[in-house]
Amino acid sequence: MKKEYYVQYSDQSIINSFDFPKDNFVSITVGISEITHDLITSLVQKMFCLPVFFVLESMIFGYEKETLIENKVPFYEFSPNGAVIKVDSVEKLNLVSRLAEVLVNNGLSVFIFYGQGIIEQNLIPSRQWNKPIEFKNVDIDKVDTLVDVEEVGFTIFSKNDLFNSPEKVPKYIPRHYSLDINSSDI
């Protein structure tokens, strides 16, 4: 049986949870009950060209850093648990997607950035309980799309016309997922 998902314009609370220019980015939410590494890999491959940047805000289990080092995947460490990884090959994408799957299925967020001229050291998130998530040093003009992957789905913040409405997003979801039209803004 296929897993169902829905696609909607994001609720205002989701939009307000990020400190991004609201006029430039459209926000689309996709609800999926199970985030898998093949879903993440497929999304990245269908939506973007490599490189993309994964921001692992917290690598809480400890083996994530060891896995990156063992596989000779360079990363920018911005805290004892946080890393930014430039993914520029399918091999890296598969490896990092597996790490991301474990993190999001344990309640953590993983951010995926796509754009031209993005610098790893600028992708450090700032999170405070009473303020929106900020990426203070990011040149927002260089960011085409940000995907916030969470345990219950993902949110796309994009300037790109290819996925700026709920009607356009389903073609990027793998076929083994089924669209719940009744819960979607389609």
Side-chain angles (χ1 to χ4, degrees), residues 149-166:
V149 186
E150 297 182 328
E151 189 174 15
V152 294
F154 57 93
T155 302
I156 303 167
F157 296 89
S158 186
K159 295 187 274 190
N160 195 318
D161 290 340
L162 294 175
F163 20 87
N164 65 352
S165 74

Side-chain angles (χ1 to χ4, degrees), residues 19-21 25 53 55 84 113-126 134-146 159:
D19 188 15
F20 264 23
F25 289 85
F53 296 87
V55 179
V84 179
F113 280 86
Y114 176 73
Q116 299 298 316
I118 296 175
I119 300 170
E120 290 157 293
Q121 292 83 350
N122 293 346
L123 298 177
I124 301 168
S126 171
E134 286 183 279
F135 292 89
K136 294 178 184 178
N137 298 322
V138 171
D139 182 348
I140 207 66
D141 293 329
K142 294 182 179 184
V143 175
D144 177 76
T145 304
L146 162 67
K159 295 187 274 190

Side-chain angles (χ1 to χ4, degrees), residues 49-114:
C49 297
L50 297 178
V52 297
F53 296 87
F54 277 70
V55 179
L56 308 180
E57 196 173 15
S58 181
M59 298 185 291
I60 59 172
F61 301 110
Y63 79 91
E64 302 95 342
K65 184 176 177 179
E66 293 171 15
T67 301
L68 294 171
I69 292 169
E70 286 173 10
N71 288 282
K72 296 181 174 88
V73 175
F75 58 96
Y76 175 73
E77 193 170 5
F78 61 84
S79 71
N81 295 326
V84 179
I85 306 158
K86 181 178 183 179
V87 175
D88 54 5
S89 71
V90 174
E91 295 78 23
K92 282 184 192 176
L93 177 59
N94 288 326
L95 178 76
V96 175
S97 293
R98 287 185 199 288
L99 296 176
E101 172 193 7
V102 171
L103 293 172
V104 298
N105 286 322
N106 280 285
L108 300 168
S109 288
V110 171
F111 305 106
I112 303 169
F113 280 86
Y114 176 73

Side-chain angles (χ1 to χ4, degrees), residues 10 16 23 25-26 37 55 68 74 85 101 106 117 121 128 143 147 157 171 177 179 184:
S10 296
N16 291 339
D23 299 339
F25 289 85
V26 174
H37 68 277
V55 179
L68 294 171
I85 306 158
E101 172 193 7
N106 280 285
Q121 292 83 350
Q128 296 175 6
V143 175
V147 180
F157 296 89
K171 68 180 173 185
Y177 289 91
L179 177 64
S184 297

